Amino acid sequence: MQFKRRICAKSGLGPTETYIPHGINPAKFGLGTPRTDLVAAEEECRMTTTGAVKELLAKTGLEPSGIDILITTCSIYSPTPSIASMLVNAFGLRKDVQSYSLGGMGCSNGVVGVSLVHDMLQAHPNANVLFVTTEVTSNAFYAGMDRARQVTNLLFRMGACAVLFSNNASWGSRIKYQLRYNQRVHIGASDAAYNAIHYSPDEEGINGVFLGINVVTEASRALTHAIRTIGPKVLNAREKLRYAHSAVTRWVGRITGSPAGNEPEYVPTFSGSLDHFLIHAGGAKVLDGLGKALRLTEKDLEPSRAVLYDYGNVSSSTTWYTLGYVESVRGVKRGDRVMQIGVGSGIKCGVNIWQAKRDISDVHRAWEHRVAPERAAAAASAKPPLRFVDTSGFASSHLFSRAVFVLLMALLAGTLHVYMLLNDAQAHDDIATGVAGTTSALRGGLLAGVLGAVAWQAGAAPAVVVPREL
């Protein structure tokens, strides 16, 4: 018990603020047996994920039928049917929805998973992607005596987040952020990194998440690799010059044999180059290590520490909770750049750089207790704004875009055909013939537009053919 008390005192978690399911809460089951079965795990997962999705749909005004792609991530709990199927069933999603359930990818996948979202949107124009992150603590609860596995019981808490991504222009001015840069690193080729975090049985055969003493070291090493790639793209000129000066000085020192060659590599500070930081709140030590690696100030780390204190380590959802805090408590200005960092088992590290497209001062329900009561009340009573383009009469926004595409192609093809017929008529001084061909030209344009739309839906480039002879 003394070990657990020491860990709790240093963890950064609040004494009463965080949440765990009744089945594994000692205050609820008392001297009984914790509920760690699949039924308890499903109850927890369904409660957190459906709650997050319901709130997202209410805020955005998006109907479930408007979701084209669904991606879920949960590391330990991997049921059959999947978590994605659970949400398809709960919200009655379309039969052609593309769903993906990611598992075993740890805390980092709330950030690393954005790579998959990006790739899906690159392949599917005018699509809405629902990304749901969670970690189920019920079946990850450890009932043994191994201290390296007991730590997870003290740090991890229940929670989920739902995020909507889209490349559909119908969202218009409601878009919050644009992804500017995305970097992911996997150093699992190293045995030390691969074995730092794993879900496995102890010597008595009791399963639990093992956290090695080298977790912070390996996480910082993965982050260093990611930063070396992303840093030159986001650092300001002053920090770039300082780093270049340090590199040249060390290089010259090694050649000449002077003491300068043994100086440590200059570590740039990101505080002056970016506006907000969403750091994975894995624990107080993890935040300290990542903050040191980036030379961040306490002000930069404060949103992540608030997440840790109020909600604990919510795994892949932590950085999104942090973004919610920044929007609710601090606010985001148009043009602000946001760095999102996730680290997890593997060891994997992901870094996303977002740029705000507008001013944002949303008050998220999870952070209402941190803002003035009158502002929280005003946000709660506010209705979701209308879309830039109203597509409520369509089953989904991609149908609206395709309908617009068909009409535009028909109009374009018809106009071009009329133009060619008129030119041909003028050449033969037979204007009447050219005018008489207008109806046929419009019909031909409509046909060409439909052919173009079919080619687009089939995945090919939209080829529009305007026939000269009808």
Side-chain angles (χ1 to χ4, degrees):
M1 290 300 296
Q2 291 182 354
F3 168 74
K4 294 181 179 179
R5 289 193 182 98
R6 289 199 308 270
I7 295 298
C8 287
K10 299 177 181 179
S11 66
L13 276 70
T16 59
E17 285 75 7
T18 60
Y19 299 88
I20 55 177
H22 288 182
I24 60 173
N25 188 341
K28 300 297 181 180
F29 68 78
L31 299 177
T33 302
R35 287 189 61 208
T36 60
D37 54 79
L38 290 178
V39 175
E42 181 180 354
E43 290 175 356
E44 178 188 350
C45 182
R46 188 177 293 273
M47 176 174 62
T48 58
T49 56
T50 58
V53 173
K54 285 178 182 177
E55 187 169 343
L56 174 75
L57 296 178
K59 280 188 173 183
T60 60
L62 180 69
E63 295 293 330
S65 58
I67 298 170
D68 304 295
I69 302 169
L70 170 64
I71 301 174
T72 66
T73 180
C74 182
S75 191
I76 304 299
Y77 179 57
S78 183
T80 301
S82 65
I83 296 176
S85 295
M86 180 191 300
L87 295 177
V88 169
N89 175 262
F91 293 94
L93 302 189
R94 300 197 320 263
K95 292 180 176 61
D96 64 341
V97 66
Q98 295 194 41
S99 62
Y100 303 87
S101 279
L102 309 179
M105 299 187 68
C107 302
S108 65
N109 212 38
V111 179
V112 173
V114 174
S115 296
L116 177 59
V117 173
H118 174 266
D119 292 344
M120 295 300 292
L121 288 175
Q122 288 284 90
H124 300 275
N126 305 300
N128 294 321
V129 180
L130 176 61
F131 184 42
V132 181
T133 62
T134 189
E135 191 57 67
V136 177
T137 57
S138 295
N139 67 324
F141 181 82
Y142 176 65
M145 300 301 293
D146 183 5
R147 291 185 174 184
R149 290 174 171 82
Q150 287 180 344
V151 173
T152 57
N153 291 348
L154 306 175
L155 294 179
F156 283 85
R157 295 294 184 266
M158 63 186 296
C161 186
V163 189
L164 177 64
F165 298 86
S166 184
N167 56 6
N168 194 316
S170 67
W171 290 102
S173 60
R174 293 187 62 192
I175 294 174
K176 283 186 173 182
Y177 305 95
Q178 182 180 13
L179 181 63
R180 304 297 299 174
Y181 305 106
N182 170 249
Q183 183 67 34
R184 58 185 296 180
V185 169
H186 199 317
I187 59 172
S190 161
D191 289 341
Y194 179 76
N195 294 313
I197 307 174
H198 52 86
Y199 181 66
S200 60
D202 62 11
E203 293 181 353
E204 298 179 2
I206 304 174
N207 289 329
V209 179
F210 173 89
L211 295 178
I213 60 175
N214 64 333
V215 168
V216 175
T217 301
E218 295 301 323
S220 298
R221 190 163 69 89
L223 177 60
T224 300
H225 287 290
I227 290 301
R228 282 176 177 166
T229 301
I230 206 111
K233 301 174 183 178
V234 299
L235 285 172
N236 58 36
R238 182 178 61 181
E239 288 301 310
K240 289 179 181 179
L241 288 174
R242 286 178 175 176
Y243 182 84
H245 178 266
S246 172
V248 171
T249 300
R250 293 171 65 244
W251 177 71
V252 172
R254 286 193 298 268
I255 293 177
T256 60
S258 68
N262 298 322
E263 291 183 359
E265 184 180 32
Y266 175 74
V267 178
T269 174
F270 285 77
S271 290
S273 302
L274 299 162
D275 302 288
H276 307 282
F277 298 87
L278 319 176
I279 312 298
H280 171 57
K285 287 188 176 180
V286 173
L287 280 178
D288 292 342
L290 297 181
K292 182 179 179 181
L294 296 172
R295 291 183 59 194
L296 300 181
T297 65
E298 270 305 309
K299 181 181 178 182
D300 298 326
L301 294 174
E302 189 264 335
S304 297
R305 294 199 190 278
V307 172
L308 189 61
Y309 188 88
D310 285 6
Y311 292 100
N313 182 343
V314 283
S315 189
S316 55
S317 301
T318 53
T319 56
W320 298 111
Y321 273 60
T322 309
L323 180 59
Y325 177 92
V326 170
E327 290 184 353
S328 303
V329 179
R330 294 185 174 181
V332 178
K333 298 295 184 182
R334 180 180 180 181
D336 280 1
R337 294 195 299 174
V338 182
M339 173 180 273
Q340 182 185 30
I341 297 176
V343 291
S345 58
I347 295 283
K348 295 182 294 297
C349 176
V351 180
N352 298 326
I353 304 296
W354 304 91
Q355 187 165 28
K357 304 299 291 181
R358 59 179 174 87
D359 292 347
I360 305 165
S361 58
D362 296 2
V363 178
H364 297 272
R365 191 158 62 93
W367 296 109
E368 288 177 352
H369 63 287
R370 290 269 190 161
V371 301
E374 58 274 11
R375 183 163 171 252
S381 61
K383 295 181 180 180
L386 295 175
R387 290 190 185 188
F388 185 69
V389 177
D390 185 9
T391 61
S392 57
F394 294 85
S396 70
S397 57
H398 80 287
L399 291 179
F400 173 77
S401 301
R402 289 176 178 178
V404 172
F405 177 78
V406 170
L407 293 176
L408 288 176
M409 292 301 100
L411 180 61
L412 175 62
T415 303
L416 290 175
H417 199 76
V418 170
Y419 176 76
M420 287 185 293
L421 286 178
L422 289 175
N423 282 347
D424 187 62
Q426 289 177 352
H428 293 83
D429 290 328
D430 191 358
I431 298 178
T433 303
V435 174
T438 300
T439 303
S440 298
L442 289 175
R443 290 173 182 168
L446 180 60
L447 174 64
V450 172
L451 289 175
V454 171
W456 183 32
Q457 293 179 30
V464 180
V465 180
V466 182
R468 283 184 175 271
E469 301 294 336
L470 298 175

